C-alpha cells in the first residue's frame, strides 16, 4: 500500500552483549514467488513460513486482484487457489505494490503475456525506481507499457495478445528482471531463453521446476543460459519458506560488532546465490559457524552461531555484488567497526534500490563520525575497530527498510545513540525486527516527535 503513516523516528543505544536465539522471518524473495507461482497453478498451493511483511501482503492482494484465491489460515500459513498459466483476469482497479520492486516487477512479467491490462503504482520510493528494465524485455513478447517520464510508475501495461517467445541477455545483473522474463515466458509458446553473465539469486528457476515447469540452466563461459519451455500446466505445491538470509544479516552483524555477543540464528538459507555477505564476513575474520546443514523447502539451510569478532577491513570485489546485493548497508556498518578500510566496488545497482543506498549509507555514516569515500559505483568505509564509532547522528532512511535497520544496528555498538528519521518501512520486510532485537538485548527506542 502506498499510504505510509506518519514517520516513526527511533533511536538505538549502545547495547550490552547480545545473547539468545534470533528466529528471523521467512525469505522475502521466496514468499513473493510462492504467491505468484501458486496463482499460476491449477489447484491449491499451501505455503508455510510466509513472510507477512507489507511487501508480501501487497503481492497477496495483487494476486487476488488478478483472480486468484488467497487466504491466510494462521501465522505464516497461507493457501493460494490458482487460475492457471494465462488465466489471470483483468484487475478492476490500480495494483498498488507499495514499496516493493520485486512485487511490481515480477507481477508485470507474470501478466505481460496475458490479454489483459493493468495499472501499477507504489509508494514514493517505488514510483521513483526504473521500470524500463522490465518494459523493454516484455515488449519483445508483444506487451505494451505507458508510464511516466523515465519509465516510472504509475504505469499501464497491456499484455501481449499473441505472445512470442524471446531470447534475452540481461543488461544488468538482476534476479527481478530474469524472473519477469521467465514469468512472461510461461504463457508464450516455444522456448524463452534468458542469459545472465553473473549469477543472480536462482529462486525462480528452482521453484518453477518444483511447480512442474521445464527450466534448464547451462553454465557456460558466456554466463548462465536459462531455457524455459512455455505453456506448461503448473501443479500446486506445498512450499515451506526458509528464513531470510537478508534479514538474518541484521542480528548476525549486530552480534559481530557488539562486544561479548553470542547468538544463534536457526534455519537460514545458505543458497549459494545469496551467500556473498557470509563470504565477506569470514574474510574479515568473523566467528560464524554453520551448523546442522540440511535442505528445507528445496533450499540448503543451516543454523548460524555468531560471536563478537575483531574484524579487519577487506576489498569486496564487484563480481560478488549480485550474491549480496541487499547486504551492503549492513556490511557498511560492520566495516565502520572493523580495523582499516573496506572497499565495496561494482555496486552501482545500489543507487536504484528502495533508496540510493550508496548515498544514504555515506551520509548517515558521516553524520555518525565515520570517514567514507563514495564514487558512482563504490563505497569505502574507514573503520577504527570495535566500539569506536562516535554515533550521535540523525540518519535519513529515505523509505528504505534496510537503511533503517542498518543504522539501528550501528547504534548498538556506537558511543552515542544513533537516531533514524523513520523506522516505519522496516515493516516491509522484517515486521518483528524491534521485538526480536530487543529479545537479544538491543535497546531501540521509539522517539516521541
Ligand atoms: C530480488 C532481487 C534483487 C534484490 C531484491 C529481491 C528478488 O533485486 O535486491 O531485494 O527477489 O528477485 P534486483 O533484481 O533488482 O537486483
Amino acid at each position: 500500500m502506498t499510504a505510509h503513516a506518519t514517520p516513526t523516528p527511533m533511536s538505538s543505544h549502545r547495547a550490552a552483549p547480545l545473547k539468545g536465539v534470533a528466529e528471523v522471518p521467512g525469505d522475502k524473495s521466496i514468499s513473493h514467488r510462492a504467491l505468484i507461482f501458486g496463482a499460476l497453478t491449477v489447484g491449491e498451493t499451501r505455503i508455510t513460513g510466509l513472510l507477512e511483511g507489507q511487501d508480501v501482503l501487497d503481492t497477496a492482494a495483487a494476486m487476488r486482484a488478478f483472480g486468484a484465491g488467497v487466504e491466510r489460515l494462521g501465522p505464516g500459513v497461507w493457501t493460494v487457489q490458482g487460475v492457471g498459466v494465462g488465466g489471470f483476469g483483468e484487475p478492476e482497479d490500480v495494483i498498488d505494490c507499495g514499496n516493493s520492486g520485486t512485487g511490481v516487477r515480477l507481477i508485470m512479467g507474470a501478466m505481460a503475456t496475458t490479454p489483459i491490462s493493468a495499472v501499477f503504482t507504489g509508494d514514493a520510493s517505488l514510483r521513483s525506481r526504473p521500470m524500463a528494465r522490465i518494459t523493454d524485455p516484455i515488449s519483445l513478447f508483444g506487451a505494451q507499457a505507458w508510464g511516466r517520464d523515465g519509465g516510472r510508475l504509475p504505469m499501464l501495461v497491456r499484455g501481449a495478445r499473441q505472445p512470442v517467445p524471446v531470447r534475452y541477455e540481461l543488461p544488468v545483473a538482476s534476479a527481478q528482471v530474469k524472473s519477469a522474463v521467465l514469468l512472461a515466458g510461461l504463457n508464450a509458446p516455444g522456448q524463452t531463453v534468458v542469459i545472465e553473465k553473473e549469477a543472480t539469486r536462482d529462486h525462480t528457476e528452482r521453484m518453477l521446476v518444483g511447480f512442474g515447469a521445464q527450466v534448464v540452466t547451462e553454465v557456460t563461459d558466456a554466463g548462465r543460459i536459462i531455457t524455459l519451455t512455455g505453456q506448461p500446466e503448473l501443479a500446486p505445491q506445498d512450499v515451506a519458506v526458509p528464513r531470510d538470509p537478508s534479514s538474518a544479516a541484521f542480528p548476525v552483524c549486530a552480534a559481530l560488532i557488539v562486544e561479548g555477543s553470542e547468538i544463534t540464528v536457526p534455519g537460514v538459507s545458505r543458497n549459494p546465490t545469496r551467500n556473498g555477505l557470509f563470504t565477506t564476513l569470514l574474510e574479515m575474520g568473523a566467528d560464524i559457524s554453520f551448523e546442522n546443514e540440511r535442505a528445507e523447502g528445496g533450499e540448503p539451510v543451516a543454523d548460524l552461531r555468531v560471536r563478537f569478532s575483531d574484524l579487519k577491513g577487506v576489498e569486496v570485489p564487484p563480481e560478488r555484488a549480485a550474491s549480496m546485493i541487499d547486504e551492503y548497508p549492513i556490511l557498511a556498518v560492520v566495516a565502520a567497526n572493523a580495523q582499516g578500510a573496506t572497499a565495496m566496488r561494482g555496486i552501482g545497482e545500489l543507487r536504484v534500490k528502495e533508496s540510493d543506498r550508496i548515498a544514504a549509507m555515506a551520509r548517515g555514516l558521516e553524520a555518525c563520525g565515520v570517514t567514507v569515500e563514495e564514487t558512482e559505483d563504490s563505497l569505502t568505509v574507514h573503520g577504527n575497530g570495535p566500539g569506536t564509532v562516535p554515533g550521535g547522528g540523525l540518519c535519513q532512511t529515505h523509505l528504505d527498510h534496510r537503511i533503517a535497520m542498518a543504522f539501528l544496528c550501528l547504534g548498538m555498538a556506537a558511543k552515542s545513540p544513533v537516531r533514524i528519521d523513520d523506522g516505519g518501512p522496516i515493516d516491509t520486510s522484517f515486521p518483528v525486527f524491534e521485538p526480536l532485537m530487543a529479545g537479544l538485548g538491543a535497546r531501540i527506542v521509539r522517539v516521541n516527535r
Side-chain angles (χ1 to χ4, degrees), residues 64-94:
R64 283 193 196 104
F66 281 99
V70 183
E71 245 190 283
R72 181 180 192 267
L73 303 185
V77 183
W78 292 61
T79 55
V80 183
Q81 302 286 343
V83 291
V85 168
F88 274 180
E90 185 163 281
E92 296 265 322
D93 205 346
V94 173

Side-chain angles (χ1 to χ4, degrees), residues 153-391:
L153 303 179
M155 180 172 277
L156 166 66
V157 179
R158 182 174 186 270
R161 267 49 190 168
Q162 287 180 319
V164 290
V166 312
R167 183 179 177 88
Y168 192 68
E169 191 164 332
L170 296 185
V172 282
S174 166
Q176 291 175 358
V177 178
K178 170 175 68 177
S179 303
V181 175
L182 292 172
L183 280 163
L186 280 177
N187 199 37
Q191 294 193 318
T192 286
V193 179
V194 184
I195 301 151
E196 59 176 7
K197 284 194 219 61
E198 289 150 67
T200 64
R201 66 191 66 194
D202 62 358
H203 307 301
T204 294
E205 298 93 301
R206 286 174 187 252
M207 290 176 73
L208 277 179
V209 169
F211 276 90
Q214 203 181 319
V215 181
V216 178
T217 303
E218 274 173 87
V219 182
T220 72
D221 290 346
R224 286 155 44 116
I225 304 175
I226 302 148
T227 304
L228 165 90
T229 302
Q231 299 183 326
E233 180 168 315
L234 297 184
Q237 295 298 300
D238 280 352
V239 181
V241 181
R243 299 184 195 277
D244 196 326
S246 300
S247 296
F250 294 99
V252 165
C253 290
L256 287 174
I257 63 173
V258 174
E259 289 207 45
S261 298
E262 175 167 357
I263 66 163
T264 304
V265 191
V268 177
S269 168
R270 292 277 288 141
N271 181 314
T273 60
R274 299 280 297 275
N275 69 4
L277 175 73
F278 296 117
T279 305
T280 305
L281 293 173
L282 293 175
E283 286 175 3
M284 296 175 87
D287 183 349
I288 305 178
S289 50
F290 302 91
E291 298 171 359
N292 302 320
E293 302 219 35
R294 58 199 184 271
E296 269 176 23
E299 293 276 327
V301 302
D303 303 332
L304 312 187
R305 180 175 292 276
V306 186
R307 295 181 185 86
F308 163 78
S309 305
D310 236 322
L311 302 171
K312 62 176 195 311
V314 293
E315 289 268 331
V316 190
E319 59 274 14
R320 198 177 292 161
S323 67
M324 54 177 293
I325 194 68
D326 291 335
E327 281 69 78
Y328 285 97
I330 189 62
L331 178 64
V333 165
V334 172
N337 286 278
Q339 187 69 54
T342 294
M344 299 165 249
R345 303 193 198 284
I347 56 171
E349 269 294 295
L350 260 59
R351 295 212 181 265
V352 291
K353 291 293 176 189
E354 284 83 331
S355 69
D356 175 343
R357 287 183 172 161
I358 297 180
M361 287 313 299
R363 298 297 83 74
L365 286 170
E366 282 168 351
C368 292
V370 179
T371 304
V372 302
E373 291 156 66
E374 177 189 353
T375 70
E376 193 44 38
D377 71 346
S378 76
L379 178 66
T380 301
V381 177
H382 296 271
N384 293 313
T388 57
V389 172

